[in-house]
Amino acid sequence: MDSAEDLSMLTPPTMDWSEPSMTSGQQGPTDALRDDPLSESLEFQPSRAPPPLPNRPPPGAGPKHVRQRKKATASVGTASSYTEMMFPRLEDAPSLGPHLHSAEAADFSPWKGTHREDTLSEQVTRQGFFDKTQISRDELQSAKSSLWPMMKHKAVLHTLSNLFVTVLEQRQKVGRVTAPSTFKPPPRVTLTDTKREAWLRDLSTSTVPLRRLSRTIPHGIRGKVLLDQCLTKRIPTDRAVWLAKCVGANEMRAFKRKGAASGLTTGGELKWIREWTITVQQFVEGSISMPGNQDWRSKLDYAVRLSTHLFSEHLLDERHYLDWILESLMTTSLERLPVWLLMVRIYAKDLASHRRQGRRLVQILLDKLYLVSSAEDSDVFTPLIKALVDLVGPLICQNSVSFVGIRAWAQVRTWLQPCFSKTSIAAQAGFKTVDHRNTRLRPSSASCNLVLPPQKSFYQQLDRQSYHRSLESFSPPDLNSPCDLVKMTGALLQWASSPFRDGLARVYLAVRLLRKWHSLGSDIDGAILSFISQDHKVPLLNNNLYLIVSELTRSGHFSAGRYLQWLVARGFSSQMGESRKRAQCEIQLLAELPTDSQSTHVMSLRNILLDRAGLASSAAEDHALARAKTVCISIAPDILSPTRTTEVVVTNSDATQLCGLSRTTKSSLGRWVRQQVKTYVEGSVSRSAGEEPPTLNTLHLYCLKEILEAIGDFAILADVLKVVCSVDDGAVLAVIANTLTQHLDIFAAIGALPDCFGVLCQRYNDLKAHETKEKCFWVALTDLASQCPRAEHVAQQLRAEARHYDQKSATAAFSPVSDYTTEALQMADHHLVDDIERTLSSGTTMEKDTFVRMMKLLLSPLQDRTEDPKTPRLSYALLLSRLRGFDKDAYDRMMAEWLDGLLLSRDRPRLIEVLRPLILAEGVSIISIISSANRFSEHQAFGNHDATMRAVLETIQFFTCDDEQRLIVQRQRCGTKHLPDLLRFFRTAFQCLSRGVEKEPGQELERDLGHPNVLSIIRHAIVHRMDDVEKYLLQPLTQSLATHLSTLHRIFDLLLRPFENHSTATSDPKSDIVSVMHNFTTLSAPFCRIKLNLLFAETTAKSAEDGGASEDELMETCLTQYTKTDTEDEHILVELLMGLDPDVSKKIRRKAEVLLLDSLSIPDVSTRLEASSMDSVQAEERPIRKYINVIDTELHANPASDPPSSSSAMMKTERLARYLDVFLSSSSRAASDGTMPSAPSRIANGEAISVCLTTLLHLLCSHRAALQRASTGCDATRAVIALCNILISGTSFLSPLVIEYVSDVLVILVDDLPPASLSHCARVLQPHLHHPFLHYLFTDPPDASFSYCSSSSSSSSSSSSSSSSITPSRSRTLFVTPNPTSTIPNKSTPIKPPKPFPLPLRHWEILSEPTPILGENDTSLSLKLFDARKSLVR
């Protein structure tokens, strides 16, 4: 073989990895050519054919450029392939092969001709090429020979473990980072402006690595310039934060390089961080305050994003920054509010994670929501309202504790609740939870927990209901169920027939309401029968009840047949053997039913039952009706019996005989009177030819009015007045108007007032058209119009017409009265009235002197002791009323002076004799007499007592006479429009009575004060104007001598117990209190409160004198009696106790607190566990709950009263702390001894503990004001620490609701703590601040001292934090454990746990890529502290 052939054979073949491998069953292109004979002649034949191709290597093993090359086509000849094999190609490392940590392929060296393996030497040629390693002498041979014998022993595992431990120790020792930290912040150098701009542009470019930029940082980029450059160059946020850290780290190290003391260095660092935080704040504010600039939104977005990253990297004073956000949110305008809401949404989690910021955030958001929702153009702010609600909604769901303790929550919830009506279900549930928690923390609102029955509000609505209003304005109660209908009907009948309400107007109002409910489909019959069959604490006015049933039966709204069936079904015969008192009402109703329109079988059944009941039979009723008709005919013969010729004179006793008739007879009599009047007015009675038609005068009308008032049938009276209105007599019409005025409320309740008033107005217009109107009708109609609702314009029109008439008369005949005429009248004593009449008719004006002399001339005969039968006092009174028209002011002034002189006169007749004619003639009013009596009593307060007694006794007689209509109207007007003056007069009467009750005038005055008319006025005033009664009557009397109180007791006993005999009334205050509280109802509440106030006042006055029952004993009696009541009557007695005098209520509340604390037994928990049961727990809870209701209701009723004393608060704090000590110690002892009881006992014990604990928490809330006023705050601090111990203990005896209550009370107490007390609590609870809730309460966001913690500032910061009021939330300090010498356990040396030491974190130096060259340990926190190891293989 020659040399060429040798070289060709030694040349390595070129492998085409793109061709598929040839198997034995396939032919390549060369084989195909070889088989073709034609191709053999055309093929280029080299001198020697190349060797065959090797087999194809596995996938991915070929070079990259060969794999990517396209496949050769079949037309390519072997010559080109052979030519390519002559040039070497570089091969790529296989991707599936092993790689080193430097990304190089392991043991892969493509041939390049420069590798050591390519250099041929004798040794390489002989022995081959291999890497020589430095092998120690001990490892020249295999270790099998030395280790294999050891494997046969029993200690082989110990040997192997020691061997592997040694290997691991050496590996850790070699691979651990041992180099010192080479961290240095990037240095700052001074650069030109051009280079600085280029550096900033490189920083804003993300492709430029930070290691390149960290070589030098331009000097002068700091503070506002740094932020502005970041904003202008749009530097990415992470790179901007990197730049800020670099600048800050250099600034911090600059303070240390100055060599100042540690304290000054720390102060400089804190000052710089605070200034940096303010700079960031100003940067954000500047971005917000330029909305008109270009790219404002993008700049604002960048500023907010950058500041957020700075905050999250802890590069700001977080406390100052969050406070700035809240302050800006509070002071911002509505135009910029959306931006600040965005800021709040970003930092909401940080703001709500601490109590101080969270509470302030919620309060500001609620204030803004109220401001926006209450704006006039609230529709414009709808998106803003939605944004606020969307922000508050998640807060109230996820952080509801921040809403606890919000100020004025009662007002906030009223307008906040509608905002949550359209939110999610979770938000609505969160609002309800917060509402419940805040309401529970306000003791004054806890009285709302008492379930007030619907009857109470119904009574209040009935008392406020004006009888002049229509029923459409009266909101009826809910009558959805039969039970509600029975309750409401019973309440209505109770109100209408109660002795604690006055007048018959309520009866007719009840009739109208029942008719309306009947028209709505309600079962009125069953409800009335159910009420009749009930027992009542206080006896009712059965006559009112009979009148209601009678009116309903007359109109067909009550079925008499059903009542009779009900009576038979209840066992009529058995009821006769029962208590007559209980069955009196339901049986007596038989004799009160109207029988005019009843069917025959109903009448037959009624007669049978009447006979069996022993009541008046139908024959007796017919006889009584006939007698009543005879009496009526004798009173008004011309109307009721026109055919009667004999004249009958009737005495007053004949009219009073009608009052004792049954309602059945009265109803029939009323219908008969109405028919007779209608027949008489219409002239339907047959008359002879030439006879004049019947006329009706005022006397006839007065007789009819007397009859119908005697039988109490005002519905028939209203019909009679409508019929009589058709007459043309002005005097009769005046009587009708006066009658409507007298019974205004009754006719308004019946519903007849508008019709009657309209008819009278029409009659007035008719008379005015015919110019036949009379002045009496004019005056009466004006008086009626002034009191009718919605008739003020009619009254004004009538007064204007009166003034026009007077002016017209004066213009027609102007003739002043001369002095000569007056002097002539003084000399002529005979026919004086006629002469004065002619004198007054002769002119329309009068001079002042003439007016004075004329009035004295008319007043002089009135005060004569004997009345001249020829010229009665009424004649002078009528002249005086005419004289008043000349000068009303002068007349009233002179009349008041004359009344004062009349009271001073000793030789005068009785006032009722002198002043009654003046009252009837409208020359003087009762209120003028009352005012004069008040002035006289004040003038004679320390003078003649007999004169005062006589004046008061004669004045009160104007209220005891009921014969004249004008007097009754004046008395009613006095009780409604001039009640304060009337109450002052009654006060004077009580004072006079207390001084001389043993004398005959005193006894007469006492009888007059107990007159039904006087009691009616006082009763009406107590129900409708209780404030005036207390101000003008009760308070002055109770504050004076105790002698006044005995008389008040006798009078108010008549009001409180009208059906009892008070001649032998008990004098024991305790018995009176028990009686009052036992018979207390909602309707009698104001009267019982007055009675209790009098009892307490009298007891206080007497106990100081004779040592009687003390006030404390009476209070205990009240509370003891209250605890014995049923749950359904609980609200009534609470209302009674808390409606007393404020001083008495406060004392009762304090007594209730003492009794409540005494009832809280605090035994050992383990002993209580065995004895407790649910029944005993409920028995203990009942009085506790009632005492709490008393306390809460008093705070609600008297919110302006002084808060509880601090001593009382201290007592409750001590009781709470003692209770908690016993509870925690006994529970822990039971757990350690293993004496935990069974589940039922544990449940009962937990319930008992919860009752005691919630009671004490409730008392703490009630004494919150006292704790807040305490100067030192020791009591509040002690209570806070005790409550924190409950949360820390985590006992299983308390339910989650109780734990929640404890947390809420703790929240409001912490809110009220002063800074010193709060700091003390934080120091005491420092080991337990890992508790989430305690961390929320007692920590605050970190300030500047924790944004950068140097080694020098760690000690000073710890000292400063101890003096701070709130502990920081996240300490920038790690507790690092030092590395032991060996981490491998060794049996010979015991391992001691290393003690950790604090290592402050430097957030400003936590930099990525701080140096241009990557070092082994170039981090700010040395890796040696963490036992870091080197990474050899990726």
Side-chain angles (χ1 to χ4, degrees):
M1 180 181 300
D2 53 9
S3 59
E5 292 177 352
D6 295 339
L7 290 175
S8 62
M9 294 177 64
L10 292 176
T11 301
T14 301
M15 300 180 183
D16 190 358
W17 301 108
S18 62
E19 297 294 335
S21 60
M22 299 293 109
T23 60
S24 58
Q26 294 180 345
Q27 292 182 353
T30 307
D31 297 335
L33 292 175
R34 186 177 298 113
D35 295 337
D36 189 359
L38 182 60
S39 62
E40 292 180 359
S41 61
L42 299 177
E43 184 181 5
F44 174 76
Q45 296 288 341
S47 61
R48 191 177 180 86
L53 295 175
N55 294 332
R56 185 175 181 86
K64 182 178 181 180
H65 68 278
V66 176
R67 291 196 306 269
Q68 294 178 352
R69 190 177 58 189
K70 296 180 180 181
K71 293 183 179 181
T73 58
S75 60
V76 177
T78 57
S80 59
S81 301
Y82 182 80
T83 303
E84 293 179 359
M85 288 189 298
M86 303 303 298
F87 302 96
R89 292 186 296 272
L90 298 177
E91 304 296 336
D92 292 336
S95 59
L96 298 180
H99 288 71
L100 301 177
H101 67 279
S102 59
E104 298 179 358
D107 196 21
F108 178 78
S109 300
W111 182 82
K112 299 180 181 179
T114 59
H115 196 268
R116 290 182 299 171
E117 188 179 356
D118 298 337
T119 304
L120 298 178
S121 62
E122 181 179 0
Q123 183 178 1
V124 170
T125 305
R126 290 180 179 273
Q127 299 179 1
F129 181 82
F130 59 91
D131 293 330
K132 292 183 179 181
T133 59
Q134 298 294 334
I135 302 176
S136 63
R137 184 175 302 176
D138 297 335
E139 295 184 359
L140 291 177
Q141 56 187 358
S142 174
K144 179 179 179 180
S145 58
S146 58
L147 293 179
W148 181 252
M150 298 180 184
M151 299 298 177
K152 299 179 180 180
H153 298 285
K154 296 180 180 180
V156 61
L157 295 179
H158 180 69
T159 303
L160 288 177
S161 64
N162 290 336
L163 177 63
F164 284 116
V165 166
T166 304
V167 173
L168 292 176
E169 285 181 354
Q170 293 298 324
R171 181 178 179 180
Q172 290 185 2
K173 183 177 180 181
V174 173
R176 186 178 296 122
V177 175
T178 57
S181 176
T182 59
F183 171 80
K184 286 185 179 180
R188 292 185 295 181
V189 296
T190 303
L191 300 177
T192 61
D193 295 342
T194 304
K195 291 183 179 180
R196 185 173 65 177
E197 291 295 326
W199 189 90
L200 291 174
R201 284 195 300 271
D202 292 342
L203 182 63
S204 62
T205 305
S206 302
T207 57
V208 179
L210 291 177
R211 289 197 178 274
R212 173 185 170 186
L213 298 174
S214 63
R215 296 174 182 176
T216 55
I217 295 179
H219 204 285
I221 302 179
R222 51 174 294 179
K224 187 176 184 300
V225 177
L226 186 149
L227 297 174
D228 291 341
Q229 289 290 344
C230 292
L231 177 63
T232 305
K233 301 295 190 302
R234 290 294 192 276
I235 298 176
T237 306
D238 56 339
R239 300 167 77 90
V241 173
W242 177 83
L243 176 60
K245 286 184 177 181
C246 293
V247 174
N250 281 283
E251 292 289 339
M252 296 297 177
R253 296 202 171 200
F255 288 108
K256 297 176 63 177
R257 287 195 299 267
K258 292 179 181 179
S262 176
L264 297 178
T265 301
T266 304
E269 293 171 355
L270 300 182
K271 181 180 178 182
W272 187 90
I273 294 174
R274 179 64 59 85
E275 292 177 351
W276 164 250
T277 304
I278 296 175
T279 302
V280 175
Q281 295 172 6
Q282 294 174 352
F283 172 66
V284 177
E285 287 179 346
S287 302
I288 294 175
S289 60
M290 53 178 183
N293 298 346
Q294 188 177 5
D295 298 336
W296 169 78
R297 184 168 183 175
S298 59
K299 292 181 179 180
L300 176 61
D301 179 69
Y302 182 84
V304 172
R305 186 169 64 251
L306 178 59
S307 63
T308 304
H309 279 77
L310 293 175
F311 180 86
S312 61
E313 293 285 345
H314 310 296
L315 304 181
L316 301 175
D317 185 348
E318 297 183 17
R319 186 184 305 176
H320 187 274
Y321 190 76
L322 294 178
D323 290 341
W324 165 73
I325 292 177
L326 294 177
E327 187 68 24
S328 302
L329 177 65
M330 183 176 62
T331 59
T332 187
S333 60
L334 294 180
E335 290 78 9
R336 297 181 182 179
L337 182 58
V339 180
W340 289 107
L341 291 181
L342 174 64
M343 296 287 292
V344 169
R345 190 179 294 274
I346 295 173
Y347 300 97
K349 184 177 180 180
D350 298 279
L351 289 170
S353 59
H354 306 280
R355 175 61 186 173
R356 187 174 67 87
Q357 282 81 8
R359 180 190 180 191
R360 189 182 179 192
L361 170 64
V362 170
Q363 191 67 58
I364 294 174
L365 290 177
L366 293 179
D367 293 342
K368 291 296 181 182
L369 182 57
Y370 175 74
L371 178 64
V372 175
S373 59
S374 61
E376 295 180 358
D377 49 352
S378 58
D379 296 338
V380 180
F381 298 107
T382 301
L384 190 57
I385 295 175
K386 185 178 183 301
L388 284 167
V389 173
D390 292 343
L391 185 57
V392 174
L395 278 176
I396 207 171
C397 295
Q398 303 171 5
N399 202 286
S400 60
V401 69
S402 297
F403 289 81
V404 175
I406 294 296
R407 65 175 184 269
W409 175 256
Q411 290 78 21
V412 170
R413 68 179 303 275
T414 56
W415 58 264
L416 186 61
Q417 187 173 8
C419 297
F420 281 88
S421 59
K422 298 181 180 179
T423 56
S424 62
I425 299 178
Q428 295 178 11
F431 174 80
K432 292 180 180 178
T433 302
V434 169
D435 182 37
H436 168 69
R437 296 170 70 175
N438 280 307
T439 305
R440 184 175 52 185
L441 293 176
R442 292 186 299 115
S444 60
S445 66
S447 60
C448 300
N449 297 333
L450 294 175
V451 180
L452 298 180
Q455 293 92 327
K456 177 176 174 56
S457 59
F458 186 46
Y459 288 147
Q460 295 174 352
Q461 191 176 6
L462 288 172
D463 290 333
R464 292 192 303 264
Q465 171 71 15
S466 175
Y467 301 111
H468 308 285
R469 300 189 321 194
S470 61
L471 292 183
E472 284 70 16
S473 61
F474 182 83
S475 56
D478 190 9
L479 304 175
N480 294 329
S481 63
C483 183
D484 295 337
L485 175 63
V486 171
K487 290 181 179 180
M488 291 299 103
T489 304
L492 181 60
L493 296 176
Q494 185 90 22
W495 176 77
S497 57
S498 172
F500 304 108
R501 297 298 183 269
D502 188 66
L504 287 177
R506 54 190 174 128
V507 175
Y508 289 99
L509 178 62
V511 171
R512 291 187 66 192
L513 286 175
L514 291 174
R515 287 172 180 169
K516 182 179 179 180
W517 295 351
H518 185 275
S519 63
L520 297 176
S522 301
D523 184 13
I524 300 300
D525 297 344
I528 294 176
L529 295 177
S530 175
F531 175 78
I532 292 175
S533 61
Q534 295 175 1
D535 293 332
H536 305 284
K537 287 184 178 180
V538 180
L540 303 177
L541 300 177
N542 291 335
N543 290 332
N544 291 6
L545 187 60
Y546 299 152
L547 179 57
I548 293 174
V549 177
S550 176
E551 292 294 329
L552 292 175
T553 306
R554 180 187 293 176
S555 60
H557 295 87
F558 180 80
S559 175
R562 182 176 177 182
Y563 160 68
L564 298 177
Q565 294 175 2
W566 172 82
L567 198 60
V568 173
R570 283 176 57 85
F572 180 77
S573 59
S574 62
Q575 289 185 8
M576 298 305 298
E578 296 179 358
S579 175
R580 187 74 180 181
K581 181 179 178 180
R582 183 178 182 275
Q584 180 180 5
C585 181
E586 53 188 85
I587 298 177
Q588 183 63 31
L589 188 58
L590 277 172
E592 308 294 336
L593 288 176
T595 59
D596 298 327
S597 58
Q598 301 298 332
S599 59
T600 305
H601 68 278
V602 172
M603 291 299 300
S604 301
L605 180 58
R606 177 179 179 271
N607 294 333
I608 295 173
L609 295 179
L610 284 175
D611 294 337
R612 296 185 62 181
L615 300 176
S617 61
S618 59
E621 291 177 348
D622 296 338
H623 180 67
L625 179 59
R627 288 185 57 193
K629 289 181 180 180
T630 304
V631 173
C632 293
I633 291 173
S634 64
I635 296 175
D638 297 338
I639 302 290
L640 302 179
S641 182
T643 59
R644 188 176 185 134
T645 57
T646 59
E647 184 175 353
V648 179
V649 179
V650 165
T651 61
N652 207 13
S653 59
D654 293 331
T656 57
Q657 294 177 2
L658 303 177
C659 299
L661 300 175
S662 65
R663 179 52 54 186
T664 302
T665 306
K666 290 179 180 180
S667 178
S668 302
L669 184 62
R671 294 169 65 92
W672 174 77
V673 170
R674 180 179 60 184
Q675 183 62 32
Q676 292 298 109
V677 172
K678 185 176 180 181
T679 304
Y680 180 83
V681 173
E682 294 178 355
S684 59
V685 180
S686 60
R687 302 180 184 276
S688 59
E691 187 178 359
E692 295 181 358
T695 59
L696 192 144
N697 53 28
T698 56
L699 181 59
H700 297 156
L701 187 55
Y702 276 123
C703 294
L704 294 174
K705 176 176 171 290
E706 181 183 3
I707 293 172
L708 294 176
E709 286 178 349
I711 65 176
D713 201 338
F714 289 92
I716 298 296
L717 180 58
D719 296 340
V720 169
L721 292 180
K722 290 181 184 179
V723 174
V724 177
C725 282
S726 59
V727 301
D728 296 332
D729 189 353
V732 175
L733 296 176
V735 174
I736 296 175
N738 289 330
T739 304
L740 292 175
T741 306
Q742 178 183 354
H743 305 291
L744 190 69
D745 289 342
I746 296 178
F747 290 120
I750 294 174
L753 181 61
D755 297 337
C756 293
F757 181 71
V759 173
L760 287 179
C761 291
Q762 183 63 36
R763 298 300 299 148
Y764 173 79
N765 294 329
D766 296 340
L767 294 178
K768 184 173 65 173
H770 295 83
E771 297 182 356
T772 57
K773 58 183 180 181
E774 297 185 11
K775 188 176 181 180
C776 60
F777 179 43
W778 196 346
V779 173
L781 187 59
T782 304
D783 192 11
L784 176 62
S786 62
Q787 300 187 43
C788 286
R790 296 181 298 275
E792 292 82 2
H793 63 285
V794 178
Q796 294 176 0
Q797 182 180 357
L798 291 173
R799 295 190 188 99
E801 291 182 0
R803 289 192 298 267
H804 177 71
Y805 179 78
D806 293 340
Q807 294 174 1
K808 184 178 179 180
S809 301
T811 305
F814 180 78
S815 176
V817 178
S818 63
D819 295 341
Y820 175 77
T821 305
T822 307
E823 294 176 358
L825 290 175
Q826 291 177 355
M827 293 184 296
D829 293 335
H830 60 283
H831 306 295
L832 180 61
V833 176
D834 297 337
D835 294 339
I836 294 177
E837 175 69 27
R838 287 191 298 269
T839 301
L840 295 177
S841 301
S842 63
T844 57
T845 61
M846 187 179 297
E847 294 181 358
K848 182 177 181 180
D849 296 339
T850 304
F851 181 84
V852 172
R853 287 193 293 270
M854 182 74 71
M855 189 166 181
K856 290 181 179 180
L857 183 63
L858 293 174
L859 289 175
S860 178
L862 291 177
Q863 54 187 2
D864 294 339
R865 294 189 63 86
T866 59
E867 181 179 4
D868 188 0
K870 296 182 180 180
T871 57
R873 292 189 177 98
L874 184 58
S875 302
Y876 296 101
L878 292 174
L879 293 177
L880 282 172
S881 65
R882 293 185 58 188
L883 183 62
R884 186 174 184 270
F886 288 90
D887 191 348
K888 296 182 180 179
D889 296 335
Y891 178 88
D892 295 338
R893 184 173 58 256
M894 291 186 64
M895 181 60 68
E897 295 175 357
W898 179 76
L899 288 175
D900 294 341
L902 183 64
L903 292 176
L904 288 172
S905 177
R906 295 184 178 181
D907 187 15
R908 58 169 174 80
R910 297 173 65 89
L911 292 180
I912 193 68
E913 299 175 2
V914 177
L915 300 179
R916 177 186 289 179
L918 277 173
I919 295 175
L920 297 179
E922 296 186 355
V924 71
S925 61
I926 293 182
I927 189 57
S928 301
I929 304 173
I930 294 296
S931 301
S932 297
N934 289 335
R935 290 193 299 268
F936 180 78
S937 61
E938 292 174 0
H939 179 71
Q940 298 289 337
F942 302 98
N944 190 357
H945 172 66
D946 295 335
T948 305
M949 172 69 77
R950 179 188 178 189
V952 171
L953 180 59
E954 294 180 357
T955 303
I956 203 173
Q957 290 178 357
F958 290 99
F959 296 91
T960 59
C961 56
D962 354 318
D963 47 354
E964 289 87 1
Q965 183 180 17
R966 176 55 56 184
L967 198 62
I968 297 174
V969 173
Q970 287 275 347
R971 193 163 55 229
Q972 292 176 352
R973 189 175 302 171
C974 182
T976 54
K977 295 185 178 180
H978 307 282
L979 184 61
D981 294 333
L982 186 57
L983 291 175
R984 279 194 290 265
F985 170 74
F986 289 154
R987 182 184 67 198
T988 304
F990 283 116
Q991 292 173 351
C992 293
L993 185 61
S994 62
R995 297 173 186 172
V997 69
E998 294 83 5
K999 301 179 181 179
E1000 183 178 354
Q1003 297 175 0
E1004 185 180 358
L1005 180 58
E1006 185 177 6
R1007 287 194 301 269
D1008 290 341
L1009 285 173
H1011 194 273
N1013 293 340
V1014 177
L1015 295 179
S1016 177
I1017 294 175
I1018 298 177
R1019 186 185 299 112
H1020 187 273
I1022 290 174
V1023 174
H1024 296 92
R1025 300 177 67 174
M1026 187 64 182
D1027 296 337
D1028 292 339
V1029 174
E1030 293 180 350
K1031 179 179 180 181
Y1032 297 107
L1033 180 62
L1034 296 179
Q1035 290 180 0
L1037 290 178
T1038 54
Q1039 293 173 1
S1040 59
L1041 297 177
T1043 54
H1044 301 160
L1045 302 178
S1046 59
T1047 307
L1048 281 175
H1049 275 302
R1050 290 192 293 269
I1051 299 302
F1052 279 97
D1053 283 341
L1054 294 175
L1055 293 172
L1056 189 59
R1057 298 189 293 270
F1059 302 104
E1060 297 181 7
N1061 184 11
H1062 302 283
S1063 59
T1064 59
T1066 179
S1067 60
D1068 186 10
K1070 293 183 179 180
S1071 301
D1072 289 343
I1073 286 179
V1074 173
S1075 176
V1076 168
M1077 298 192 68
H1078 178 70
N1079 297 324
F1080 180 78
T1081 61
T1082 305
L1083 294 174
S1084 63
F1087 304 93
C1088 293
R1089 283 198 298 268
I1090 294 176
K1091 179 65 176 179
L1092 288 181
N1093 280 326
L1094 294 178
L1095 287 173
F1096 279 108
E1098 185 180 19
T1099 303
T1100 304
K1102 288 184 178 181
S1103 60
E1105 298 177 1
D1106 54 3
S1110 63
E1111 190 178 31
D1112 190 70
E1113 294 177 358
L1114 293 186
M1115 294 178 185
E1116 187 172 356
T1117 303
C1118 288
L1119 294 173
T1120 305
Q1121 193 69 21
Y1122 165 65
T1123 56
K1124 297 178 182 179
T1125 58
D1126 298 332
T1127 305
E1128 56 187 14
D1129 298 332
E1130 183 177 345
H1131 70 283
I1132 304 178
L1133 290 179
V1134 170
E1135 180 186 3
L1136 169 64
L1137 295 178
M1138 296 303 106
L1140 301 177
D1141 184 80
D1143 295 335
V1144 177
S1145 299
K1146 188 186 302 183
K1147 293 177 182 178
I1148 290 179
R1149 191 249 304 156
R1150 291 179 179 176
K1151 183 64 178 179
E1153 291 175 353
V1154 174
L1155 295 177
L1156 175 59
L1157 291 176
D1158 293 340
S1159 64
L1160 290 178
S1161 57
I1162 313 176
D1164 196 326
V1165 175
S1166 58
T1167 59
R1168 187 164 188 165
L1169 282 171
E1170 301 301 331
S1172 294
S1173 63
M1174 294 305 296
D1175 296 337
S1176 61
V1177 169
Q1178 294 176 0
E1180 293 180 4
E1181 183 183 4
R1182 190 176 298 111
I1184 291 175
R1185 177 176 50 82
K1186 293 188 176 183
Y1187 287 139
I1188 289 178
N1189 291 337
V1190 171
I1191 297 171
D1192 295 341
T1193 310
E1194 194 277 333
L1195 293 175
H1196 179 70
N1198 302 314
S1201 61
D1202 295 334
S1205 61
S1206 58
S1207 60
S1208 179
M1210 183 185 305
M1211 178 178 62
K1212 293 167 183 58
T1213 305
E1214 293 177 356
R1215 183 68 63 91
L1216 174 64
R1218 184 165 64 89
Y1219 171 77
L1220 294 176
D1221 292 341
V1222 173
F1223 163 66
L1224 294 176
S1225 61
S1226 59
S1227 61
S1228 60
R1229 183 173 64 254
S1232 61
D1233 297 343
T1235 59
M1236 298 301 293
S1238 59
S1241 299
R1242 188 164 57 250
I1243 293 174
N1245 179 72
E1247 187 68 22
I1249 293 174
S1250 300
V1251 170
C1252 297
L1253 183 58
T1254 53
T1255 302
L1256 292 172
L1257 293 176
H1258 202 94
L1259 292 179
L1260 281 178
C1261 293
S1262 65
H1263 290 271
R1264 179 185 178 185
L1267 295 173
Q1268 191 174 3
R1269 289 189 313 165
S1271 58
T1272 59
C1274 296
D1275 299 333
T1277 303
R1278 187 175 182 182
V1280 167
I1281 295 175
L1283 294 178
C1284 290
N1285 289 330
I1286 294 180
L1287 297 180
I1288 295 170
S1289 63
T1291 177
S1292 60
F1293 293 108
L1294 299 179
S1295 63
L1297 293 178
V1298 178
I1299 294 295
E1300 182 185 76
Y1301 192 18
V1302 173
S1303 304
D1304 295 343
V1305 175
L1306 183 59
V1307 163
I1308 62 174
L1309 293 181
V1310 169
D1311 291 341
D1312 297 335
L1313 282 180
S1317 301
L1318 189 61
S1319 176
H1320 173 70
C1321 293
R1323 288 194 301 269
V1324 173
L1325 300 171
Q1326 183 68 38
H1328 305 287
L1329 289 185
H1330 61 277
H1331 191 280
F1333 192 74
L1334 300 185
H1335 182 273
Y1336 166 79
L1337 286 179
F1338 297 102
T1339 62
D1340 213 18
D1343 57 0
S1345 62
F1346 291 89
S1347 295
Y1348 181 80
C1349 296
S1350 62
S1351 59
S1352 61
S1353 63
S1354 61
S1355 60
S1356 61
S1357 64
S1358 62
S1359 62
S1360 64
S1361 64
S1362 63
S1363 62
S1364 176
S1365 61
I1366 299 179
T1367 304
S1369 63
R1370 293 187 300 273
S1371 176
R1372 303 292 181 254
T1373 303
L1374 291 178
F1375 287 87
V1376 182
T1377 303
N1379 296 324
T1381 55
S1382 177
T1383 58
I1384 305 302
N1386 192 352
K1387 292 184 179 180
S1388 60
T1389 59
I1391 299 177
K1392 295 182 179 180
K1395 183 179 181 181
F1397 63 92
L1399 180 65
L1401 294 178
R1402 303 181 181 94
H1403 291 283
W1404 291 92
E1405 297 183 357
I1406 301 179
L1407 287 170
S1408 60
E1409 304 180 5
T1411 56
I1413 301 175
L1414 179 64
E1416 181 180 340
N1417 190 7
D1418 59 354
T1419 58
S1420 61
L1421 193 61
S1422 178
L1423 297 178
K1424 295 171 61 177
L1425 299 174
F1426 303 97
D1427 291 339
R1429 295 194 299 269
K1430 304 173 186 178
S1431 176
L1432 301 178
V1433 181
R1434 288 187 181 180

